[in-house]
Amino acid sequence: MKSELPVFNLDYRPDTAGHFGGYGGKYVSETLMAALDDLNLAWQKLRKDPEFLAEFDYDLSHYVGRPSPLYHAKRLSAEVGGAQILLKREDLNHTGAHKINNTVGQALLARYLGKSRVIAETGAGQHGVASATVAARLGMQCVVYMGEVDIHRQAINVYRMRLLGAEVREVTSGSATLKDALNEAMRDWVTNVDNTYYIIGTVAGPHPYPQLVRDFNSVIGREARRQMQEQFGCLPDALVACVGGGSNAMGLFHPFVDDTDVPMFGVEAAGRGLETGQHAAPLTAGRVGVLHGNKSYLMDDDNGQILHTHSVSAGLDYPGVGPEHSWLKDTGRAEYVAIDDKEALAAFHQLTRTEGILPALESSHAVAYAVKLAASMPTNKLVLVNLSGRGDKDVHTVAELEGIEL
Amino acid sequence: MSRMNRLRQCFDTLATTGRTALVPFVTAGDPSVDTTVDIMHALVDAGADIIELGIPFSDPMADGPVIQLSSERAIERGVSLTTVLDNVHSFRQNNQNTPVVLMGYLNPLYRMTFSVFATKAATAGVDAVLVVDSPPEESSEFEACLKQADISMIRLVAPTTTAERMRLIAKNAGGFIYYVALKGITGAGSSNNETASSLQRIDTMRELSGLPVAAGFGIKDAESAAAWAQVADAVVIGSALVTRLAECSSSEQACDTVKSFLAPIRTAMDNVHK
Ligand SMILES: Cc1ncc(COP(=O)(O)O)c(C=O)c1O
């Protein structure tokens, strides 16, 4: 077993042009190329700058509340009757999800680049809230783009963003969900590129975003690796994380990629079932294409039009996925599976009942797969699940699905 | 006439008369599937020198609401890349001279595969393509396929493009250079050609690439078209036309709209003396 990894290790991927094998890259219009080059230059320098890293570290400890605990879910494990299930408690972070790791880092980057205005896209609203939070803290103007559909199903987060002083702009084009919010944020960025920093919320988008969002979230995996050694004296027998764009999964996986005896499972949203086509599982049921500035797996029709997706969880309702996941899939280093709406809801209830932890619907997908996986393993094995966020934001959705009026 | 020649011939002819190319943009399949070819002919009759035909895409990141909505409508009508190529093929039955440039996003072309697309586009009579999200850094395979089919790759230059990138872009460009006249999306406010840096970029690109330079984005009427005609070799007008076409319910109405909209623009551009 290796000792603790240095910050932002594994420098060999992506290559200097942002490619993970054949994936990733910088498929954007010319207007943004200079801004991306500037950002890349800054990031390649700052990710090795001890002062910057120390400031990031300080914010993670004192503002986000890290390290997040690694919690042994004993009652859940006993009920499942298989491997022990361990939860990496990203739900306990300030603002309630892993998203804040990334926004704290990108806010520092925005300040370094001298930008006074930040923009973000959001699906579940967690990234929007996390962006509005760091903007409030640094006194920056903040605009969050959010699909009309998501605004309705994540009303609490919309109000939170407004309380934080952000302007939430409704996006009605296309499917009016996360992908369309991302398009709209890109359009804003192209227009206001001089004074605006775009905080992308996941490991997608053009280079260097997949790398830098991964870098900021890799604190999850670094901590988990250390906590495993401290608490159990070994590495886990499996890692499980949900995959929307893939940031919480990449954050957990990244520091373990070279530990090839640790299997990694990314859990996509099977929605109403893969066979219905109403899902959000590009790695499981899609194919390679180009969307939102990078080449990766995605969901499109035979004419190359991006498909509308469905998932009960807004944060997984996205037809693309970060390019590094495509690379991990093709190399076989990670395995990608899918959990449908019903299974996710069942896991939501099971974790709430057995452990007193209300998971986000996104994270419930990871829990659901971990339960399946653990059930097939002996009781002395350890399955580590990234509990990417808390479920308070989803209480209305769950109640509505179950016909309960609040 | 070979395809590369159609564009060159067009600019050569214009140069001898000191005129600037008028390049209208329309989305294929909007306002209806059947009107597109009629509209293309009407554009030529109204003084268009080159036609830019938009391939509808579900996620047009560089486009404003007008072209987004027109793309959405076209997709709902079942318009695909194949339909667009059929449109060009039909247009070519009665027009052998007017260059046609396809404008769109990479994924539909990637899905068809670059080599199949290039072959079909050449057969249909396409002269050049402009793919917004395919910068030189990511285009080697696509470029090779286009080259083999004798189709030009139009390259964008933006107000933010650095000197170093201008050299890279010039090296990879064909047909003409497309100068994005504003920092923003199609249909945005209005573009301003007064800035010294715009003029300088246009001159630099002309020099580096040896190609004509078109200006587009935010050009919407006779006044803005004439202003850009003073500095550019071609002027692209998109959203302003697409907005008007969206309101047309018949082919006749669409063709009349094209004529009445383009006529004053053509006149204003022809009154510019360089
Ligand atoms: C709690 C939570 N988990 C997961 C996700 C999915 O994003 P990613 O795959 O980038 O981690 C979201 C997105 O909004 C989220 O809020």
Side-chain angles (χ1 to χ4, degrees):
Chain A
M1 193 167 63
K2 291 177 212 111
S3 59
E4 184 167 357
L5 300 164
V7 177
F8 304 157
N9 64 314
L10 305 167
D11 268 349
Y12 50 85
R13 204 178 50 248
D15 68 14
T16 54
H19 296 121
F20 302 88
Y23 301 109
K26 234 179 342 188
Y27 294 83
V28 295
S29 74
E30 181 56 31
T31 314
L32 290 178
M33 290 304 269
L36 288 171
D37 285 346
D38 288 350
L39 178 61
N40 187 40
L41 213 65
W43 183 236
Q44 300 313 328
K45 190 170 138 239
L46 289 177
R47 71 197 293 276
K48 291 179 181 149
D49 177 356
E51 219 172 291
F52 181 89
L53 296 178
E55 194 174 359
F56 177 54
D57 238 28
Y58 180 91
D59 282 356
L60 288 181
S61 316
H62 299 270
Y63 191 67
V64 176
R66 304 202 70 93
S68 69
L70 180 68
Y71 169 73
H72 184 179
K74 289 186 183 151
R75 283 197 73 221
L76 175 65
S77 306
E79 188 171 292
V80 171
Q84 300 309 302
I85 296 172
L86 313 175
L87 304 176
K88 181 62 176 156
R89 299 289 307 276
E90 293 300 298
D91 61 314
L92 293 177
N93 292 340
H94 180 41
T95 71
H98 70 290
K99 298 283 180 185
I100 192 86
N101 302 323
N102 170 44
T103 60
V104 159
Q106 289 203 55
L108 294 178
L109 203 44
R111 202 188 55 192
Y112 177 90
L113 291 165
K115 308 290 182 181
S116 57
R117 177 178 182 265
V118 296
I119 57 171
E121 85 294 337
T122 197
Q126 287 304 113
H127 174 60
V129 166
S131 298
T133 297
V134 296
R137 178 171 175 244
L138 295 183
M140 289 173 168
Q141 189 195 346
C142 178
V143 173
V144 179
Y145 290 92
M146 189 167 186
E148 190 185 14
V149 172
D150 294 333
I151 284 187
H152 289 298
R153 58 178 164 176
Q154 304 288 343
I156 294 174
N157 275 343
V158 175
Y159 185 54
R160 284 170 82 193
M161 286 184 264
R162 293 192 169 133
L163 286 173
L164 289 159
E167 181 192 340
V168 180
R169 290 193 189 159
E170 184 177 69
V171 178
T172 54
S173 56
S175 56
T177 59
L178 181 55
K179 86 173 171 72
D180 310 284
L182 211 151
N183 290 334
E184 212 49 43
M186 280 281 184
R187 292 178 187 123
D188 180 316
W189 197 31
V190 166
T191 309
N192 301 296
V193 62
D194 291 332
N195 73 342
T196 297
Y197 182 93
Y198 179 17
I199 306 182
I200 291 189
T202 192
V203 287
H207 180 63
Y209 282 106
Q211 180 189 25
L212 73 87
V213 177
R214 173 201 76 191
D215 284 349
F216 288 134
N217 267 308
S218 68
V219 65
I220 302 170
R222 281 198 311 280
E223 280 178 11
R225 211 169 174 285
R226 190 185 68 224
Q227 289 164 325
M228 283 301 303
Q229 288 159 346
E230 286 168 3
Q231 295 176 33
F232 301 92
C234 62
L235 293 182
D237 298 296
L239 299 177
V240 181
C242 67
V243 177
S247 66
N248 86 86
M250 219 42 248
L252 175 65
F253 292 175
H254 189 62
F256 289 94
V257 168
D258 283 351
D259 301 311
T260 47
D261 49 348
V262 179
M264 310 194 295
F265 297 92
V267 186
E268 297 190 301
R272 300 197 171 98
L274 293 179
E275 69 290 347
T276 66
Q278 295 180 17
H279 57 81
L283 289 164
T284 319
R287 54 189 170 186
V288 178
V290 175
L291 176 68
H292 292 153
N294 67 84
K295 186 190 276 188
S296 194
Y297 281 81
L298 51 70
M299 289 168 54
D300 67 354
D301 67 17
D302 289 341
N303 296 318
Q305 307 295 356
I306 307 305
L307 291 171
H308 293 194
T309 50
H310 167 81
S311 168
V312 68
S313 80
L316 302 185
D317 211 348
Y318 180 64
V321 66
E324 193 163 6
H325 285 293
S326 294
W327 179 82
L328 288 172
K329 174 186 161 80
D330 284 8
T331 56
R333 179 61 189 93
E335 194 179 320
Y336 294 88
V337 295
I339 284 289
D340 68 25
D341 289 352
K342 284 204 183 86
E343 295 171 303
L345 279 165
F348 173 90
H349 285 297
Q350 190 176 15
L351 185 64
T352 303
R353 259 191 307 98
T354 56
E355 297 289 347
I357 296 172
L358 220 125
L361 283 176
E362 291 81 10
S363 322
S364 301
H365 286 72
V367 173
Y369 186 73
V371 163
K372 273 193 195 175
L373 185 66
S376 71
M377 291 163 74
T379 53
N380 63 348
K381 296 288 181 185
L382 303 170
V383 172
L384 194 162
V385 188
N386 198 7
L387 200 72
S388 57
R390 67 177 186 224
D392 309 47
K393 70 183 174 63
D394 296 314
V395 167
H396 270 95
T397 305
V398 173
E400 201 173 295
L401 283 169
E402 293 171 358
I404 294 161
E405 218 170 297
L406 294 180
Chain B
M1 198 183 327
S2 106
R3 285 173 294 279
M4 293 266 197
N5 285 344
R6 208 145 38 204
L7 267 172
R8 196 175 308 138
Q9 177 93 43
C10 168
F11 280 107
D12 284 351
T13 310
L14 288 164
T16 60
T17 54
R19 292 168 79 222
T20 304
L22 173 57
V23 188
F25 168 97
V26 292
T27 306
D30 193 52
S32 74
V33 182
D34 300 331
T35 49
T36 299
V37 176
D38 292 344
I39 289 172
M40 291 171 78
H41 287 300
L43 291 169
V44 177
D45 293 343
D49 300 293
I50 298 167
I51 294 173
E52 222 174 87
L53 191 60
I55 306 163
F57 181 51
S58 54
D59 293 76
M61 279 197 313
D63 286 298
V66 169
I67 295 177
Q68 283 171 45
L69 290 172
S70 105
S71 303
E72 276 180 28
R73 287 190 298 266
I75 292 168
E76 264 166 42
R77 291 180 194 112
V79 174
S80 66
L81 179 52
T82 304
T83 324
V84 180
L85 294 171
D86 287 346
N87 286 156
V88 179
H89 181 80
S90 306
F91 173 74
R92 281 278 171 257
Q93 305 311 304
N94 298 306
N95 183 318
Q96 291 295 312
N97 299 320
T98 308
V100 174
V101 178
L102 297 188
M103 179 162 181
Y105 294 80
L106 198 57
N107 200 58
L109 314 186
Y110 182 83
R111 185 58 60 227
M112 182 176 270
T113 77
F114 295 143
S115 59
V116 170
F117 166 74
T119 309
K120 286 190 173 177
T123 310
V126 170
D127 300 282
V129 297
L130 195 176
V131 182
V132 178
D133 54 353
S134 184
E137 287 88 338
E138 306 289 355
S139 297
S140 54
E141 188 198 336
F142 187 26
E143 267 169 5
C145 293
L146 291 178
K147 196 166 181 178
Q148 195 156 29
D150 200 15
I151 293 174
S152 304
M153 177 79 130
I154 309 289
R155 287 278 168 216
L156 295 166
V157 170
T160 51
T161 305
T162 59
E164 192 188 338
R165 284 192 59 77
M166 282 198 262
R167 280 190 291 277
L168 172 74
I169 291 166
K171 222 172 37 196
N172 288 280
F176 58 89
I177 300 287
Y178 190 127
Y179 181 68
V180 179
L182 50 74
K183 285 178 200 161
I185 50 178
T186 56
S190 64
S191 47
N192 170 13
N193 67 332
E194 305 302 321
T195 62
S197 74
S198 280
L199 303 186
Q200 199 198 330
R201 281 191 165 76
I202 289 174
D203 283 345
T204 306
M205 284 314 297
R206 211 181 264 129
E207 207 169 291
L208 286 173
S209 66
L211 295 170
V213 179
F217 280 49
I219 305 176
K220 56 175 187 285
D221 51 22
E223 194 190 341
S224 48
W228 280 99
Q230 278 168 10
V231 294
D233 306 300
V235 168
V236 184
I237 298 190
S239 300
L241 175 58
V242 172
T243 303
R244 285 165 176 81
L245 287 175
E247 289 157 11
C248 299
S249 52
S250 70
S251 190
E252 293 73 33
Q253 203 187 349
C255 293
D256 287 347
T257 299
V258 161
K259 280 169 200 161
S260 60
F261 178 68
L262 287 189
I265 293 173
R266 179 78 264 178
T267 308
M269 284 172 61
D270 288 345
N271 288 335
V272 169
H273 298 287
K274 295 194 214 185

